[in-house]
Amino acid sequence: GEVMAAAHRGAKSAGGTTIAILPGGDRSAANAWADHVVVTGIGHARNLAVAASGDAVIAVGGSYGTIAEMALALRLGRRVVALVGAPFIEGTLTAATPVEAVELALRDLG
């Protein structure tokens, strides 16, 4: 909740559009900064939708769900950047700061 809200706030402040992909079926569970809400009703299986929906993944902290999203993103050929403190999986890039994480995630994307 808190990480996604912060990510959405940051994206909105930079003029971006935000999407929340929720594990449940309750649209009201999205944070106030979500422009578009996708309710999946599929619980943890929604991690695949999260990993597949972007061109890159930035991992911030996390536990098993984050590890699953990182592994799925790598399997799908997505760039994965782990901010210091996030789980490490072979094949990920690491970043010391959020700015560095975004720069690494966006590098070489057309």
Side-chain angles (χ1 to χ4, degrees):
E2 293 300 317
V3 170
M4 292 312 303
H8 281 162
R9 281 194 311 271
K12 297 285 289 172
S13 71
T17 300
T18 60
I19 301 171
I21 303 173
L22 303 178
D26 181 5
R27 185 173 290 288
S28 70
N31 67 65
W33 297 274
D35 293 315
H36 304 283
V37 179
V38 178
V39 293
T40 66
I42 58 175
H44 293 293
R46 79 87 152 100
N47 292 346
L48 178 57
V50 171
S53 293
D55 295 319
V57 170
I58 298 175
V60 180
S63 185
Y64 297 119
T66 302
I67 293 168
E69 290 171 353
M70 293 169 71
L72 289 164
L74 288 168
R75 176 63 68 186
L76 293 168
R78 306 298 195 265
R79 176 173 295 146
V80 177
V81 180
L83 195 57
V84 170
F88 177 77
I89 297 176
E90 187 175 334
T92 64
L93 303 172
T94 56
T97 67
V99 170
E100 182 185 9
V102 171
E103 288 172 351
L104 286 170
L106 296 178
R107 187 180 66 198
D108 305 324
L109 291 180

